Amino acid sequence: MNDTTVTLVGNVATAVEYRDTATGGVARFRFAVTARRWDREKELWTDGPTSFYTVSAWRSLGANLAASVSVGEPLVVHGRLRVREDERDGQRKTFVDVAALAVGHDLSRGTAAFRRSVRTESRSEALSGHGAAPGGPFGPEHGQERGAGSERTPALGPAPERDPWADAAADAAAGEATRLVTAS
C-alpha cells in the first residue's frame, strides 16, 4: 500500500475520547498545528494559519494516549494521512485524518516521565496478528473490513520511587554533577 506518512508537531485541541469496541479500543482527538515564521521586519516570531487534524490511535497506543494526554499539551504525532470529502448541510467539506503509528510529548517544550505499560497480550497472540487494526489504519467506519481479534487495555506500571534523571538534574544544579564515562 502506498500510504502517505506524516509527522506533525502541535498541540492537543480537544479532550481525548477513548472507547472500547468489539475489535479493540480507539482514542480520538483533534490536533492543532500552527506554522511559525520569523518576521524579518518586526524581528520576532509570528503565527501562521492553524491546521486541524483528527487523530485516531488504536489498541494499546490508544489506551496509553488516553491515559497520558490532556488538552493543550504539545505532541509529536507520526502516522498515516488520509484526506476525505463529505457533504454536510449541502456543502462539500474536506477532512484530514491521521491514523497514529506513534505519539509522544514534544520534549523541546517541556519534560515527561515515561512509565512502561504492562502488556496483557501473550507473545503468540501478538505474532499471530490478532489485535491488528480493525479495518486497517483508519478503522471499520471508513468502509473497510473488520479485522479479527482484540487486545485488552494495558495497565500502566507503577511510577519509579526515584527518578534518576531528576536526581542528576538536581545534582547538576547544585554543582555536584558527576562526569559520565562511556567505553567504546
Side-chain angles (χ1 to χ4, degrees), residues 168-179:
D171 291 346
E176 302 171 12
T178 58
R179 185 171 173 215

Side-chain angles (χ1 to χ4, degrees), residues 54-58 78-82 97-102 137-138:
T54 300
V55 178
S56 299
W58 291 89
H78 179 74
R80 293 184 182 99
L81 182 70
R82 179 170 183 178
D97 300 329
V98 176
L101 300 172
F138 291 99

Side-chain angles (χ1 to χ4, degrees), residues 60 117-123 125 150-156:
S60 62
S117 60
V118 179
R119 291 191 56 99
T120 57
E121 171 183 49
S122 74
R123 181 167 165 73
E125 286 176 322
S150 66
E151 183 174 332
R152 294 169 215 76
T153 303
L156 293 178

